[in-house]
Amino acid sequence: GAVVSQHPSRVICKSGTSVKIECRSLDFQATTMFWYRQFPKKSLMLMATSNEGSKATYEQGVEKDKFLINHASLTLSTLTVTSAHPEDSSFYICSVENPSGLSSYNEQFFGPGTRLTVL
Amino acid sequence: GNSVTQMEGPVTLSEEAFLTINCTYTATGYPSLFWYVQYPGEGLQLLLKATKADDKGSNKGFEATYRKETTSFHLEKGSVQVSDSAVYFCALSDWGGSEKLVFGKGMKLTVNP
């Protein structure tokens, strides 16, 4: 399967600052990437779909001005948490979509996640 | 909307024990169903999938059957190993242009020698 990296793996920041998280597809070009957020003891919640060369599509209830997504190349998508607050502390996970072409399912490959703590 | 409900755990088993993780879903249409596994320090990996009713997904000794009549996709393994210790997520596809996934809350499994 595809190899997906995230950087940083952990970040601690002060309230009010902005934090950028990178998601890289290391071994194939990804037109579509997804960003998820995982709360403790809860499921992964899809935040947005990131499409190379166009604006991201945000899920209902996700503030697009708060969580800026840039998919500037076929191997990199970034999520910027702007003016972070303690309630933004969470585990953020990205995935890349690999269109199979042979089935109805486009498999997703996940990054290892980024733990954000806002003080 | 679509949703997935699964056992939350955590669950601790001894090596060679039988494992069942229940998963039920609510969906319109005909979703595909998945089990993902997250080993410590790693990203989620697809464990197995089933794309239509009565399909059985299998991998690494794990099995799950797509049961439309009970809207279930329970994960089973006859004899777990220490290396199976991980968090297991049940998920379904929610077609929306791209294959958006809806996840259950995940269940942490610890297998002791």
Side-chain angles (χ1 to χ4, degrees):
Chain A
V3 180
V4 181
S5 70
Q6 282 185 240
H7 178 79
S9 58
R10 293 176 182 270
V11 57
I12 301 172
C13 69
K14 293 182 179 180
S15 185
T17 60
S18 294
V19 175
K20 180 185 285 188
I21 302 170
E22 295 184 346
C23 176
R24 292 184 184 274
S25 174
L26 298 182
D27 53 358
F28 76 94
Q29 295 179 327
T31 304
T32 302
M33 295 184 178
F34 300 93
W35 285 97
Y36 294 85
R37 182 173 179 178
Q38 185 178 22
F39 295 95
K41 298 184 179 180
K42 292 190 181 293
S43 63
L44 281 75
M45 302 297 294
L46 179 65
M47 299 175 65
T49 303
S50 171
N51 302 295
E52 189 271 336
S54 64
K55 292 182 178 180
T57 304
Y58 290 81
E59 295 299 300
Q60 191 173 8
V62 178
E63 299 176 59
K64 61 181 180 181
D65 295 330
K66 172 75 171 177
F67 298 100
L68 299 179
I69 292 173
N70 184 358
H71 193 156
S73 77
L74 288 171
T75 59
L76 174 65
S77 175
T78 60
L79 168 68
T80 301
V81 183
T82 62
S83 186
H85 288 92
E87 58 265 30
D88 299 324
S89 299
S90 193
F91 196 58
Y92 293 88
I93 302 172
C94 73
S95 72
V96 304
E97 181 182 75
N98 182 19
S100 67
L102 298 176
S103 73
S104 60
Y105 170 60
N106 297 336
E107 185 168 349
Q108 291 185 35
F109 299 94
F110 288 82
T114 296
R115 172 75 62 191
L116 170 63
T117 302
V118 185
L119 303 177
Chain B
N2 296 349
S3 66
V4 174
T5 302
Q6 65 171 108
M7 288 173 58
E8 293 185 30
V11 170
T12 301
L13 296 175
S14 297
E15 206 165 23
E16 299 184 1
F18 182 82
L19 169 70
T20 299
I21 306 176
N22 289 339
C23 172
T24 56
Y25 67 91
T26 302
T28 55
Y30 303 96
S32 295
L33 302 174
F34 311 91
W35 278 99
Y36 280 83
V37 58
Q38 186 176 28
Y39 298 105
E42 299 182 17
L44 276 76
Q45 303 172 24
L46 179 64
L47 179 61
L48 53 85
K49 67 180 185 286
T51 57
K52 61 182 187 297
D54 299 326
D55 269 4
K56 177 186 283 187
S58 61
N59 186 24
K60 298 182 180 180
F62 290 89
E63 291 184 341
T65 301
Y66 190 143
R67 301 286 187 197
K68 191 170 184 294
E69 63 277 14
T70 55
T71 62
S72 65
F73 193 55
H74 305 322
L75 183 68
E76 295 183 340
K77 186 172 185 180
S79 177
V80 293
Q81 305 300 311
V82 172
S83 57
D84 294 326
S85 298
V87 181
Y88 292 83
F89 293 89
C90 186
L92 63 78
S93 66
D94 181 7
W95 179 255
S98 289
E99 200 82 24
K100 294 196 290 186
L101 290 168
V102 176
F103 286 89
K105 292 184 178 181
M107 195 208 79
K108 184 176 181 180
L109 170 68
T110 301
V111 180
N112 293 322

